[in-house]
């Protein structure tokens, strides 16, 4: 839960200077891009499926309260317990209350961005509960005391050599292990954690209103271990994850798995409906579902409604030239990349994430890759307009340009001055260009004017000489 104003410009400048970071990110992002393109091409009518997905999500967000109520009633009918949380604090308190009731001191967690959104790990650790991330990527970043840097691939910023060095320092493994040995090391370290955990915590990729079922999509067996071994399961679910019917699930799975990692189907698709029944051998004795709002109800009736449609596949991150250059940690948010540029200011406020709407070139590649067609570039533009209107930060260069362009005398004077600055390198006494221009220039190259008369002077001379 953010507590301060973040500085993407400063963090991204540091990240761009890290060649190892950029190489690690691009290697994995390129692989995911290639796989996605192949998987989409192999699926007949994939673009039609994207249109269907967007339409279905529009239906859900348009009747969100109704679907939430239906899902909650079905969960309870199946024997589960539903906890409604209006914000992060209530969601954390619900999980802590469940842990206290069962005197739980050890918990295992399958990958969950929603739990990251509410800073659950920190809260449980402060309450004396040992919580272990069991997804390999999440286990790596937790061991390094870092946050995930990608929605799908949390440790995308680390290469194999760095992970081997980390495991050597934290787990005492021999230096220089290869990938297979690193995976085996993590598996051995996690095995006892699964067996001794009193609480299993998950997120959810989808929640089916019709049946009250939770759907988990993973490529590792950790999700099923987390939901079958501990006696108590807690699922933290954003209310935007609800889909209407079980018959919708195949379409959404096809969109998610192909967009996320280029798979026709993920290695594990788990559908959980209620706790373990008397005639069943596996599953939790208790199932608790924490339904998190945290501003989602308001978003569903506002101009950014489609941001709730996100499947959290990570495709927009892999395409984004900004994310590929700086990685996820530069955003200082649970949600990095084009999706995070929009959602972070909407959840935590423009004052805290004032510059994330600028972390976009408006190239449109994110919208083209999104499996449900979220208009992310349009949302970036809207947030920039809202930021200027709300005065949460000084007016942007575009705002200054608007004022100049609407005043002919001021426009001509500024153009003349700018031309002189660029041609002769004139700066202010402190050695900088004027502030808005200096900020704009940090990530762009200003064109050098050609020698000779300015266009306006040339035009007037031409008019005089060619009546």
């Amino acid at each position: 839960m953010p507590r301060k104003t973040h500085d993407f410009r400063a963090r991204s400048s540091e990240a761009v200077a890290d060649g190892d970071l950029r190489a690690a990110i691009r290697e994995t992002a390129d692989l995911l891009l290639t796989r996605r393109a192949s998987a989409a091409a192999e699926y007949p009518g994939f673009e039609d499926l994207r249109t269907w997905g967007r339409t279905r999500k529009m239906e859900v967000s348009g009747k969100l309260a109704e679907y939430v109520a239906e899902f909650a009633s079905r969960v309870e009918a199946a024997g589960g317990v539903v906890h409604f949380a209006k914000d992060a604090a209530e969601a954390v308190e619900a999980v802590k209350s469940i842990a206290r009731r069962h005197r739980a001191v050890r918990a295992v967690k399958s990958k969950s961005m929603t739990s990251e959104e509410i800073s659950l790990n920190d809260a449980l650790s402060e309450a004396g509960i040992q919580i272990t991330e069991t997804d390999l990527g999440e286990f790596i970043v937790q061991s390094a005391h870092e946050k995930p840097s990608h929605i799908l691939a949390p440790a995308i910023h680390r290469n194999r050599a760095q992970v081997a060095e980390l495991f050597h320092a934290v787990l005492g493994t021999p230096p220089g292990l290869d990938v297979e040995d690193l995976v085996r090391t993590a598996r051995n370290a996690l095995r006892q954690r699964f067996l001794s955990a009193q609480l299993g915590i998950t997120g959810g990729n989808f929640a089916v209103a019709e049946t009250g079922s939770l759907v988990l999509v993973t490529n590792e067996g950790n999700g099923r271990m987390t939901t079958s071994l501990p006696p108590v399961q807690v699922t933290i679910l954003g209310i935007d994850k609800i889909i209407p019917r079980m018959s919708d699930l195949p379409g959404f799975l096809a969109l998610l798995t192909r967009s996320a990692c280029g798979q026709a189907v993920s290695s594990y698709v788990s559908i959980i409906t209620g706790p373990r029944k008397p005639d069943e051998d596996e599953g939790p004795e208790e199932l608790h579902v924490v339904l998190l709002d945290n501003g989602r109800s308001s978003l569903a009736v506002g101009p950014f409604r489609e941001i709730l449609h996100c499947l959290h596949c990570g495709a927009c991150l892999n395409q984004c030239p900004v994310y590929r250059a700086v990685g996820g940690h530069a955003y200082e948010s649970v949600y990095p990349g084009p999706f995070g540029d929009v959602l972070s200011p909407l959840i935590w406020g423009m004052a805290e994430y004032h510059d994330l709407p600028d972390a976009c070139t408006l190239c449109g590649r994110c919208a083209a890759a999104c499996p449900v067609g979220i208009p992310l570039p349009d949302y970036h533009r809207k947030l920039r307009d809202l930021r200027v209107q709300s005065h949460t930060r000084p007016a942007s260069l575009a705002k200054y340009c608007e004022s100049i362009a609407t005043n002919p005398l001021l426009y001509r004077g500024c153009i003349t001055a700018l031309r002189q600055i660029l041609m002769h390198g004139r700066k202010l006494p402190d050695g900088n260009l004027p502030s808005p221009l200096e900020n704009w220039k940090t990530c762009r190259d200003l064109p050098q004017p050609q020698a000779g008369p300015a266009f306006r002077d040339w035009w007037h001379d031409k008019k005089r000489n060619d009546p």
Side-chain angles (χ1 to χ4, degrees):
M1 289 175 283
R3 294 281 190 270
K4 64 184 182 66
T5 299
H6 302 277
D7 192 342
F8 176 79
R9 186 180 296 276
R11 300 290 80 78
S12 60
S13 296
E14 296 170 1
V16 167
D18 188 337
D20 291 338
L21 171 70
R22 297 200 314 274
I25 291 170
R26 290 177 180 176
E27 180 180 3
T28 303
D30 285 345
L31 176 63
L32 293 173
L33 280 177
T34 301
R35 288 180 174 177
R36 179 199 177 278
S38 298
E42 293 169 359
Y43 187 95
F46 187 72
E47 290 305 312
D48 292 337
L49 184 64
R50 292 180 66 206
T51 301
W52 170 86
R54 180 179 183 273
T55 302
R56 211 76 181 103
K57 278 290 191 176
M58 289 292 285
E59 177 186 333
V60 175
S61 60
K63 301 178 181 178
L64 189 56
E66 297 177 24
Y67 282 117
V68 169
E70 180 182 359
F71 173 73
S73 68
R74 299 298 185 193
V75 170
E76 291 176 342
V81 181
V82 177
H83 308 258
F84 292 96
K86 68 179 180 181
D87 56 23
E90 288 192 0
V92 167
E93 183 53 40
V95 180
K96 289 168 65 176
S97 176
I98 296 166
R100 285 194 298 267
R101 192 180 315 126
H102 292 275
R103 298 182 180 179
V105 294
R106 292 179 299 277
V108 287
K109 182 157 75 72
S110 182
K111 185 174 180 293
S112 167
M113 297 306 296
T114 309
S115 70
E116 294 287 346
E117 180 181 325
I118 64 175
S119 298
L120 182 64
N121 286 14
D122 293 340
L124 292 185
S125 295
E126 291 172 3
I129 299 171
Q130 180 193 59
I131 183 165
T132 302
E133 295 284 357
T134 62
D135 172 88
L136 178 58
E138 295 279 357
F139 179 70
I140 290 170
V141 297
Q142 184 183 38
S143 299
H145 303 289
E146 296 174 338
K147 296 294 183 183
S149 61
H150 191 283
I151 293 175
L152 178 69
I156 190 175
H157 57 289
R158 285 181 171 267
N159 57 37
R160 182 204 59 79
Q162 291 171 331
V163 175
E165 183 179 348
L166 173 68
F167 278 19
H168 174 65
V170 175
L171 301 176
T173 58
L177 292 182
D178 59 22
V179 173
E180 184 177 343
D181 286 334
L182 290 172
V183 173
R184 184 181 297 109
T185 296
R187 183 184 296 120
N188 292 337
L190 290 170
R191 183 69 56 179
Q192 188 57 40
R193 304 286 182 91
F194 282 121
L195 294 173
S196 63
Q198 299 135 330
L199 204 65
I201 301 173
T202 75
N205 295 95
F206 303 103
V208 184
E210 178 185 40
T211 61
S213 301
L214 302 168
V215 182
L216 277 66
V217 182
T218 65
N219 272 324
E220 302 171 24
N222 65 306
R224 290 190 177 174
M225 300 279 278
T226 300
T227 58
S228 60
L229 290 177
V232 180
Q233 178 187 341
V234 180
T235 294
I236 303 156
L237 195 74
I239 59 175
D240 52 304
K241 297 296 187 67
I242 295 175
I243 61 175
R245 292 184 287 274
M246 189 63 76
S247 59
D248 297 318
L249 183 58
F252 281 117
L253 286 175
L255 286 170
L256 174 62
T257 57
R258 283 168 172 79
S259 299
C261 47
Q263 293 175 299
V265 63
S266 189
S267 300
Y268 298 91
V269 177
S270 303
I271 301 177
I272 301 165
T273 307
R276 184 175 66 201
K277 307 299 188 293
D279 60 342
E280 293 177 337
D281 296 328
E282 295 180 347
E285 298 170 9
E286 289 187 20
L287 172 65
H288 296 262
V289 179
V290 180
L291 286 174
L292 176 67
D293 191 313
N294 210 25
R296 288 165 171 80
S297 294
S298 297
L299 289 175
V301 295
F304 298 95
R305 170 180 167 186
E306 290 189 60
I307 200 66
L308 295 178
H309 301 173
C310 180
L311 303 185
H312 290 201
C313 68
C316 63
L317 281 70
N318 302 330
Q319 291 279 1
C320 179
V322 177
Y323 176 87
R324 289 166 61 89
V326 303
H329 290 153
Y331 295 79
E332 296 185 296
S333 172
V334 173
Y335 301 114
F339 167 67
D341 292 344
V342 175
L343 187 60
S344 298
L346 293 175
I347 290 182
W348 291 293
M350 188 69 77
E352 293 189 358
Y353 287 103
H354 63 91
D355 54 359
L356 283 194
D358 292 328
C360 175
T361 66
L362 302 179
C363 67
R365 294 178 66 181
C366 53
C370 178
V372 289
I374 300 172
L376 290 167
D378 292 343
Y379 284 174
H380 281 84
R381 282 188 286 264
K382 285 182 181 180
L383 283 174
R384 293 177 187 182
D385 290 342
L386 289 174
R387 182 184 58 199
V388 173
Q389 294 167 13
S390 63
H391 305 291
T392 55
R393 64 170 288 183
S396 65
L397 181 60
K399 191 66 176 177
Y400 287 113
C401 289
E402 178 185 353
S403 301
I404 293 170
T406 54
N407 185 318
L409 289 175
L410 184 59
Y411 175 80
R412 287 196 292 270
C414 287
I415 288 296
T416 300
L418 178 60
R419 189 168 188 273
Q420 293 299 315
I421 289 173
L422 296 178
M423 288 188 67
H424 305 292
R426 295 179 182 176
K427 297 186 177 183
L428 298 177
D430 62 2
N432 294 319
L433 293 169
S435 180
L437 191 59
E438 187 70 37
N439 288 339
W440 188 86
K441 190 176 179 294
T442 56
C443 53
R444 302 173 179 88
D445 293 325
L446 285 170
Q448 184 69 19
Q450 294 183 355
F455 173 79
R456 184 174 295 275
D457 296 334
W458 173 86
W459 179 255
H460 286 308
D461 288 342
K462 181 177 177 60
K463 287 177 65 177
R464 283 194 298 268
N465 297 328
D466 299 320

